[in-house]
C-alpha cells in the first residue's frame, strides 16, 4: 500500500512539468480610446456592475414584469443550464490530470484435470486478492492535460459570461416590449378619441348637408376622415395585441393585466450620466466581449495541447495489495503484492496528423482573435450610436412638444372658424390631421427616449464606471 501511495504522489509531482501553450496576451482593442460627446446629467455609477436592474428600472410595474421574465424565460433558463453543463465538462476534463485510485477485490477458483500420461491427479487452485491502484495515468510532462483543462475552464467561463449577457439583453428586451405596448396603447387611445371627434364632425356635416348649408365636398371629406380614423383604430388594436403576445413570450408566462401600461411613463428607467469623454476600455467589461475573450483563451490552450502531441507520452499503471490462496490468509504477513507497469508512446509517423492538428489550432486562435476584435468593434459602434441618439433627444422632445402645442392651437382656431362659417371644413380637417400627426410623433419620440435609457444600460453591459 505504501508503495502505491508513493508512486501516485511521484506521478502527480512529475505531471505538468512543461506548458507548450503560447503566452496569452489580450489583443489590443481595435477602436478609438474614448468616445467624445456632449455630457449628460443622470445617475452615475461607481462600478460597471454597481447598478442592479432593480435599481435602474424605476417603474414598479415594469420591475415586476422583468422579475417574471427572469424566472420564466426559456432562453435564460437554457443559458443557466448551459453553465451547469460546462461546469460538469470542466470537472470531467480536469479530473484526467490526476490518478484515478480504485480498490479491486477478486477471487479465482480453477480446476485442473488429471493427466493420465504423467499420473497426476486433478487439482483445484484458489486465489484471493485485494488491490489498491491506478491504471493508465498519463504523466503530463508537456502540459497536454493541463491545457485541455484550461480550455474546458474557459468554455465554462464563456457560458457564465453568455448567461450574464442573455440576462442583460432580456431585461432590455422586456423593458422595450413593455414600453412598445405602452406607446401603442397610447396611440390606440388617441386613435379612438380622434375617431370619436371625426364621427361627431361627420354627423354634423350630414345634418348641415341635409339643409343645404354644407357642400357635398365637405361631406365627402368628413366621411373620408372617419374612414381614415377607423383604419388607424384597427391597426393599433392589432398592434396592441401583437405587443402583448411578444411581451408574454419574453416573460415566459401571461403578464397580469394590472402590470400592463396604458401610456409611456415619463421615466421608466434611470438616465445614466455620460461624462464628456468615456473610455472605450469599459467595453472590456461587457459580458459578450468577456465571452469572446474566453473563447480566445480556450483556443490558445488548444495550441499547447496540439504541440504536446509531438512529444512522447508516458502512462503508468500501478497497484499494491494482498494475495493469498485462502481468504483467511489474505491479510497475513507475507501476503503483500504489488505491480508497476510504465509504458511510453513515441510518435514517429502519423501521415502529418499532428502537424495538421497544430495548424488547425493556430488558425482557430486567429479566428477567435478576429471574433474578439469584432465583438469590441460592434460594442463600440452600439455605444456610439446610443450616445449620438442621446445627444439630440432632449432638443427633439422639446421641439416636438412645442409642435404638438402649436398644432393644437391651430386646430382649435380652425375649428372655431369653421363653426362660425368663416372657413371651410377642409382647413379644419387639415389642422386636425396635423395635430393628430404631431401627437403620434410625440408618442414615438417619448418611446425612443425611454428606449434609449434602456439601450445605454444594455450596450454598456449593465452600466459603466464613472472613474
Amino acid at each position: 500500500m505504501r508503495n502505491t501511495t508513493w508512486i501516485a504522489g511521484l506521478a502527480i509531482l512529475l505531471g505538468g512539468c512543461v506548458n507548450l501553450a503560447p503566452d496569452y496576451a489580450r489583443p489590443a482593442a481595435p477602436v478609438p480610446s474614448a468616445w467624445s460627446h456632449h455630457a449628460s446629467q443622470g445617475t452615475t455609477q461607481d462600478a460597471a456592475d454597481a447598478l442592479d436592474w432593480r435599481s435602474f428600472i424605476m417603474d414598479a410595474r415594469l420591475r415586476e414584469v422583468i422579475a417574471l421574465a427572469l424566472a420564466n424565460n426559456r432562453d435564460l433558463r437554457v443559458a443557466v443550464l448551459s453553465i451547469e453543463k460546462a461546469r460538469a465538462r470542466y470537472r470531467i476534463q480536469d479530473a484526467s490530470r490526476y490518478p484515478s485510485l480504485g480498490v479491486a477485490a477478486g477471487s479465482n477458483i480453477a480446476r485442473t484435470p488429471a493427466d493420465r500420461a504423467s499420473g497426476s491427479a486433478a487439482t483445484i487452485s484458489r486465489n484471493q486478492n485485494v488491490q489498491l491502484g491506478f491504471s493508465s495515468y498519463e504523466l503530463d510532462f508537456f502540459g497536454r492535460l493541463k491545457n485541455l483543462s484550461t480550455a474546458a475552464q474557459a468554455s465554462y467561463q464563456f457560458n457564465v459570461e453568455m448567461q450574464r449577457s442573455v440576462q442583460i439583453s432580456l431585461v432590455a428586451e422586456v423593458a422595450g416590449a413593455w414600453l412598445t405596448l405602452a406607446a401603442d396603447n397610447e396611440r390606440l387611445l388617441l386613435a379612438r378619441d380622434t375617431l370619436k371627434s371625426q364621427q361627431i364632425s361627420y354627423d354634423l356635416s350630414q345634418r348641415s348637408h341635409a339643409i343645404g348649408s354644407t357642400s357635398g365636398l365637405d361631406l365627402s371629406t368628413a366621411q373620408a376622415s372617419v374612414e381614415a380614423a377607423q383604419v388607424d383604430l384597427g391597426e393599433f388594436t392589432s398592434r396592441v395585441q401583437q405587443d402583448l403576445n411578444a411581451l408574454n413570450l419574453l416573460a415566459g408566462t401571461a403578464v397580469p393585466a394590472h402590470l400592463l401600461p396604458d401610456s409611456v411613463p415619463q421615466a421608466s428607467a434611470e438616465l445614466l450620466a455620460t461624462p464628456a469623454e468615456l473610455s472605450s476600455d469599459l467595453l472590456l467589461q461587457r459580458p459578450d466581449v468577456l465571452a469572446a475573450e474566453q473563447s480566445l483563451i480556450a483556443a490558445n490552450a488548444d495550441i499547447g495541447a496540439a504541440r504536446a502531441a509531438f512529444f512522447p507520452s508516458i502512462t503508468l499503471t500501478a497497484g499494491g495489495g494482498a494475495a493469498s490462496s485462502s481468504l483467511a490468509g489474505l491479510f497475513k504477513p507475507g501476503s503483500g503484492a504489488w505491480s508497476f507497469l510504465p509504458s511510453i508512446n513515441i510518435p514517429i509517423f502519423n501521415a502529418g496528423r499532428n502537424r495538421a492538428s497544430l495548424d488547425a489550432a493556430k488558425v482557430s486562435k486567429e479566428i477567435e482573435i478576429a471574433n474578439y476584435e469584432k465583438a469590441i468593434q460592434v460594442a463600440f459602434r452600439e455605444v456610439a450610436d446610443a450616445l449620438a441618439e442621446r445627444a439630440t433627444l432632449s432638443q427633439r422632445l422639446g421641439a416636438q412638444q412645442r409642435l404638438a402645442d402649436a398644432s393644437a392651437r391651430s386646430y382649435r382656431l380652425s375649428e372655431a372658424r369653421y363653426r362660425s362659417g368663416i372657413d371651410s371644413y377642409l382647413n379644419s380637417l387639415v389642422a386636425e390631421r396635423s395635430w393628430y400627426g404631431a401627437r403620434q410623433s410625440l408618442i414615438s419620440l417619448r418611446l425612443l427616449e425611454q428606449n434609449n435609457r434602456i439601450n445605454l444600460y444594455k450596450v454598456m453591459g449593465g452600466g459603466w464606471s464613472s472613474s
Side-chain angles (χ1 to χ4, degrees):
M1 293 289 185
R2 289 195 299 270
N3 289 331
T4 303
T5 305
W6 181 83
I7 293 170
L10 179 62
I12 294 174
L13 290 174
L14 290 175
C17 295
V18 179
N19 192 335
L20 300 178
D23 292 335
Y24 175 75
R26 175 185 287 174
V31 293
S33 60
W35 297 274
S36 296
H37 60 95
H38 296 292
S40 67
Q41 299 298 318
T43 298
T44 302
Q45 294 170 246
D46 294 327
D49 59 350
L51 189 59
D52 182 76
W53 69 265
R54 296 174 185 83
S55 302
F56 172 67
I57 300 297
M58 300 173 63
D59 192 287
R61 297 169 300 173
L62 179 54
R63 280 200 297 267
E64 290 193 46
V65 174
I66 292 175
L68 276 176
L70 293 177
N72 297 285
N73 182 268
R74 269 51 179 184
D75 289 334
L76 184 59
R77 188 173 299 176
V78 169
V80 172
L81 293 174
S82 295
I83 292 177
E84 298 301 319
K85 182 178 179 180
R87 181 188 288 119
R89 285 182 171 177
Y90 164 62
R91 290 166 58 195
I92 292 172
Q93 183 60 58
D94 192 58
S96 64
R97 298 174 56 197
Y98 307 97
S100 179
L101 297 177
V103 175
S107 176
N108 181 38
I109 302 177
R111 180 182 183 276
T112 302
D115 189 345
R116 292 182 179 180
S118 63
S120 61
T123 61
I124 296 177
S125 62
R126 293 176 174 83
N127 182 48
Q128 321 290 334
N129 65 83
V130 175
Q131 190 173 57
L132 170 67
F134 59 88
S135 63
S136 300
Y137 169 63
E138 180 179 345
L139 293 177
D140 198 20
F141 283 114
F142 303 103
R144 187 183 75 88
L145 297 177
K146 178 177 176 57
N147 281 309
L148 290 176
S149 177
T150 299
Q153 184 180 29
S155 178
Y156 162 67
Q157 290 296 333
F158 169 87
N159 282 277
V160 170
E161 298 302 338
M162 287 307 299
Q163 187 271 337
R164 287 181 56 217
S165 181
V166 169
Q167 177 168 319
I168 292 171
S169 295
L170 180 60
V171 169
E173 286 184 46
V174 171
W178 189 86
L179 288 168
T180 299
L181 175 60
D184 283 339
N185 267 325
E186 197 169 344
R187 293 184 182 110
L188 177 60
L189 179 61
L190 177 57
R192 188 176 289 120
D193 290 344
T194 300
L195 175 60
K196 182 179 179 180
S197 173
Q198 296 286 5
Q199 188 65 55
I200 292 173
S201 297
Y202 177 54
D203 293 342
L204 179 61
S205 296
Q206 282 184 312
R207 291 194 293 270
S208 298
H209 181 68
I211 61 176
S213 60
T214 298
S215 67
L217 176 60
D218 285 349
L219 180 62
S220 297
T221 302
Q223 182 182 3
S225 67
V226 170
E227 300 303 333
Q230 285 280 13
V231 170
D232 283 354
L233 181 64
E235 177 187 351
F236 291 123
T237 300
S238 176
R239 283 169 59 173
V240 164
Q241 186 57 53
Q242 291 173 340
D243 294 340
L244 182 58
N245 295 339
L247 183 60
N248 286 338
L249 177 61
L250 287 171
T253 185
V255 178
H258 70 277
L259 300 180
L260 301 177
D262 51 13
S263 62
V264 179
Q266 291 297 322
S268 62
E270 292 279 4
L271 175 59
L272 301 180
T274 55
E277 187 168 291
L278 200 61
S279 173
S280 61
D281 287 344
L282 300 170
L283 292 175
L284 302 181
Q285 301 306 312
R286 268 185 42 153
D288 57 334
V289 174
L290 289 173
E293 185 177 14
Q294 291 300 325
S295 293
L296 176 57
I297 291 173
N300 191 75
D302 285 340
I303 293 178
R307 285 175 174 173
F310 286 88
F311 295 88
S313 61
I314 299 175
T315 58
L316 303 178
T317 298
S324 174
S325 59
S326 66
L327 187 62
L330 188 59
F331 297 104
K332 289 183 177 180
S335 63
W338 61 270
S339 64
F340 179 58
L341 304 173
S343 65
I344 184 169
N345 176 37
I346 303 175
I348 297 176
F349 175 75
N350 53 27
R353 181 173 57 191
N354 288 346
R355 171 57 60 184
S357 296
L358 179 57
D359 291 343
K362 289 180 177 179
V363 172
S364 294
K365 180 180 178 180
E366 293 301 317
I367 291 173
E368 295 305 330
I369 289 175
N371 287 335
Y372 176 72
E373 293 174 342
K374 177 66 178 296
I376 293 178
Q377 290 176 334
V378 170
F380 187 90
R381 185 266 175 94
E382 289 176 348
V383 174
D385 285 350
L387 292 176
E389 188 175 66
R390 168 54 54 186
T392 61
L393 271 174
S394 179
Q395 179 184 1
R396 292 164 63 188
L397 270 171
Q400 188 63 43
Q401 183 64 62
R402 292 190 294 272
L403 174 60
D405 293 341
S407 298
R409 290 193 299 270
S410 176
Y411 167 67
R412 286 193 291 268
L413 291 173
S414 297
E415 181 70 7
R417 288 172 64 85
Y418 168 66
R419 301 294 183 189
S420 302
I422 300 175
D423 213 342
S424 68
Y425 177 72
L426 180 60
N427 289 336
S428 174
L429 178 61
V430 169
E432 184 175 19
R433 286 179 175 174
S434 296
W435 184 32
Y436 176 76
R439 285 183 290 173
Q440 289 282 11
S441 296
L442 182 59
I443 293 172
S444 298
L445 202 53
R446 287 172 52 214
L447 172 63
L448 181 63
E449 195 276 335
Q450 293 297 303
N451 275 331
N452 180 261
R453 296 178 180 221
I454 302 295
N455 196 33
L456 279 173
Y457 179 81
K458 174 187 173 183
V459 299
M460 293 306 300
W464 54 67
S465 172
S466 59
S467 58

